[in-house]
């Protein structure tokens, strides 16, 4: 698992690659929280290269969404593969976090 | 035709990625779809993580026994451990799927995934061991 970060003005794009499970979710949390600076206005998490996520990883996404919500920073997800999309739907997270088909769509909405 | 995977691993979180790899290898041999493979790997990780975190044994001090049997119609997954008695399907908290971001709790989500993604689930306590059984149909 790896988190790559790009900045598009005040929008931070975090691309998550690989697998997030109970064995590395703490590392995922550190990388994701560490990537989000003070001056960010919106965060787009690109899951296009995420092969697998379990409830341990969803917990991190929820924690980050809560932290950002308290700072009035928006968060959205994009480019989910079919099984990853299913997991977000089963958890109900698709109703509390915006999900876009592509990074371009997410950036357009965040900008 | 059926193929079988039988593993015994110490009750440590670090062991679980190796279990996932072995199960995915079985799935490739058996031609499982991507969705079936994901459901089985996820179901096993969630159940085994519960055993490690809530089984009451010091990590590495006991074993989790995992058996996966793949046949033409279905995949059967059995997880046995000697931790304290715990029925994940009735004792884990139910997640509130409608709560807003700030109110949303994470507990119980793993078991919820298992209930939704598997076609059959059951729990029993046999000879001082927990036995979780799951079935995923292949179509």
């Amino acid at each position: 698992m790896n988190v790559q970060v790009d900045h598009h003005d005040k929008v931070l794009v975090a691309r998550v690659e690989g697998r997030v499970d109970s064995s590395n979710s703490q590392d995922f949390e550190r990388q994701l929280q560490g990537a989000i600076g003070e001056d960010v206005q919106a965060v787009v998490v690109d899951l296009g290269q995420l092969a697998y996520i379990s409830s341990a990883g969803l917990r991190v996404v929820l924690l980050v969404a809560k932290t950002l919500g308290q700072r009035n920073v928006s968060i959205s997800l994009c480019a989910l593969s079919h099984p990853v999309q299913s997991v977000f739907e089963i958890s109900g997270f698709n109703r509390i976090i915006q999900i876009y088909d592509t990074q371009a769509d997410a950036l357009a909405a965040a900008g | 035709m059926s193929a079988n995977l039988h593993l015994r691993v110490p009750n440590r979180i670090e062991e679980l990625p190796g279990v996932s790899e072995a199960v995915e290898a079985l799935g490739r041999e058996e031609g499982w779809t991507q969705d079936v493979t994901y459901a089985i790997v996820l179901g096993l990780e969630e159940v085994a993580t519960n055993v490690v975190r809530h089984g009451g044994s010091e990590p590495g001090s006991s074993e989790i026994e995992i058996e996966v049997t793949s046949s033409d119609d279905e995949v059967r997954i059995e997880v046995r451990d000697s931790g304290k008695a715990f029925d994940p399907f009735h004792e884990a908290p139910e997640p509130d799927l409608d709560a807003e971001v700030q109110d949303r709790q994470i507990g119980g989500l793993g078991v919820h995934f298992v209930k939704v993604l598997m076609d059959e689930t059951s729990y029993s306590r046999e000879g001082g061991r927990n036995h979780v059984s799951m079935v995923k149909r292949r179509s």
Side-chain angles (χ1 to χ4, degrees):
Chain A
M1 182 274 308
N2 194 23
V3 180
Q4 301 275 354
V5 176
D6 296 317
H7 290 272
H8 296 253
D9 296 326
K10 297 273 184 185
V11 182
L12 179 140
V13 178
R15 279 179 293 127
V16 187
E17 302 167 351
R19 305 170 62 88
V20 180
D21 58 24
S22 53
S23 76
N24 65 8
S25 63
Q26 286 181 323
D27 186 29
F28 176 51
E29 184 176 349
R30 262 194 306 276
Q31 288 198 38
L32 198 54
Q33 297 275 29
I36 300 169
E38 287 298 320
D39 56 346
V40 167
Q41 285 177 356
V43 173
V44 172
V45 184
D46 186 330
L47 300 180
Q49 299 300 314
L50 179 72
Y52 175 87
I53 188 165
S54 64
S55 67
L58 283 154
R59 178 183 161 277
V60 173
V61 173
L62 181 66
L63 280 174
V64 170
K66 284 187 178 188
T67 308
L68 292 176
Q70 286 161 0
R71 289 167 48 190
N72 285 321
V73 175
S74 76
I75 180 170
S76 61
L77 311 176
C78 65
L80 282 63
S81 70
H82 181 259
V84 170
Q85 174 91 26
S86 296
V87 168
F88 276 89
E89 286 172 4
I90 294 168
S91 68
F93 281 21
N94 59 318
R95 299 203 293 270
I96 54 178
I97 301 175
Q98 280 289 337
I99 299 179
Y100 296 95
D101 287 344
T102 66
Q103 193 189 111
D105 290 347
L107 280 172
Chain B
M1 287 289 289
S2 75
N4 185 277
L5 176 73
H6 195 175
L7 301 169
R8 287 173 202 271
V9 297
N11 62 328
R12 272 197 300 260
I13 293 294
E14 302 79 46
E15 303 289 339
L16 302 184
V19 172
S20 299
E21 279 175 33
V23 172
E24 285 177 0
L26 179 67
R28 280 192 297 275
E29 284 170 25
E30 289 290 293
W32 298 346
T33 64
Q34 188 187 22
D35 285 353
V36 165
T37 302
Y38 199 109
I40 291 166
V41 170
L42 184 66
L44 248 180
E45 183 200 322
E46 301 294 358
V47 169
T49 298
N50 261 341
V51 170
V52 174
R53 299 231 197 273
H54 308 299
S57 307
E58 194 65 26
S61 68
S62 68
E63 272 187 340
I64 306 171
E65 183 179 358
I66 294 164
E67 211 171 345
V68 182
T69 307
S70 175
S71 58
D72 290 343
D73 305 336
E74 65 183 29
V75 182
R76 189 167 282 275
I77 304 122
E78 316 282 346
V79 183
R80 294 180 175 86
D81 73 274
S82 53
K84 68 179 183 203
F86 179 72
D87 176 355
F89 304 120
H90 293 97
E91 294 176 49
E94 291 278 341
D96 179 0
L97 302 179
D98 295 317
E100 295 296 318
V101 172
Q102 296 301 334
D103 302 328
R104 186 66 197 268
Q105 304 293 315
I106 199 72
L109 198 52
V111 171
H112 177 65
F113 286 159
V114 175
K115 286 180 183 167
V116 172
L117 288 169
M118 292 292 160
D119 294 296
E120 294 170 28
T121 58
S122 66
Y123 166 84
S124 59
R125 182 82 176 167
E126 297 165 358
R129 295 208 298 170
N130 296 303
H131 177 194
V132 168
S133 188
M134 301 177 274
V135 175
K136 178 69 180 173
R137 281 193 266 286
R138 294 180 61 179
S139 58

